[in-house]
Amino acid sequence: MDREAIVSEVGSAMDSEESNEAAILAAMQVLHRRLNCHWAGVYLLRNGELHLGPFVGPPTEHTRIAIGQGVCGTAVAEDANQIVRDVRERSNYLACNLETRSEIVVLVRDEAGSVIGQIDLDGTEVGQFDERHEALLEEIAPLLALRWP
Ligand code: SME
């Protein structure tokens, strides 16, 4: 995985978009393609709840997720990124899609360090995401934060 190339591709894809929504979507398109994701999107933390933001992939019924619920809500509740090797091993997993086997959630923070949402990627392979992906997404998160919708 060429981390630098992906970060720079995400940056230029976002720069060429006017609206914040379009910029985030462009970033998700790059991640979806470069990391071979099944689904790539963001959730926005609003009024103490996660709201589905721009995404690429099949539609999900999980448009609102409570803090503490599922992998996404757990990331916020525990203030910790989540790497799930096999979603079948997580009892609180919220299935968006039956083909999903692995998932990574990396928190997005504002300049003061407060959580404003998260990046969520789903893969069809067990163990598709690891610490290298986490490091990549941690580098991309501040770019997204600047254009957070
Ligand atoms: N699987 C997530 C829900 C979001 S979908 O993957 C898009 C969860 O368990 O929180």
Side-chain angles (χ1 to χ4, degrees), residues 1-7 31 34-36 104 121 128-137 139-140:
M1 176 176 56
D2 189 344
R3 185 162 138 194
E4 241 173 80
I6 298 175
V7 172
L31 293 176
R34 294 290 297 244
L35 301 181
N36 200 19
I104 183 168
L121 306 182
Q128 191 170 328
F129 306 111
D130 58 28
E131 285 70 22
R132 293 170 312 144
H133 298 89
E134 182 182 15
L136 168 73
L137 297 180
E139 207 171 325
I140 288 171

Side-chain angles (χ1 to χ4, degrees), residues 39-41 43 50 52 55 58-62 65 69-74 84 87 90 92-97 100 102-103 105 118 120-122:
W39 193 95
Y43 278 93
L50 289 166
L52 180 63
F55 68 93
T60 170
E61 66 189 49
H62 301 295
I65 300 176
Q69 201 192 347
V71 177
C72 294
T74 300
V84 183
V87 296
R90 277 275 189 126
N92 64 348
Y93 169 69
L94 301 174
C96 274
N97 209 285
T100 299
S102 51
E103 177 163 8
V105 173
Q118 57 190 211
D120 181 14
L121 306 182
D122 290 356

Side-chain angles (χ1 to χ4, degrees), residues 1-14 23-32 34-35 37 40-42 81 106-109 116 118-121 132-148:
M1 176 176 56
D2 189 344
R3 185 162 138 194
E4 241 173 80
I6 298 175
V7 172
S8 128
E9 202 178 321
V10 166
S12 28
M14 292 179 76
I24 300 291
L25 181 63
M28 293 307 115
Q29 280 162 343
V30 173
L31 293 176
H32 186 264
R34 294 290 297 244
L35 301 181
C37 300
V42 300
N81 298 332
V106 168
L107 295 166
V108 178
R109 299 172 191 276
I116 53 174
Q118 57 190 211
I119 308 168
D120 181 14
L121 306 182
R132 293 170 312 144
H133 298 89
E134 182 182 15
L136 168 73
L137 297 180
E138 279 184 331
E139 207 171 325
I140 288 171
L143 304 179
L144 302 186
L146 294 172
R147 304 291 302 268
W148 209 236

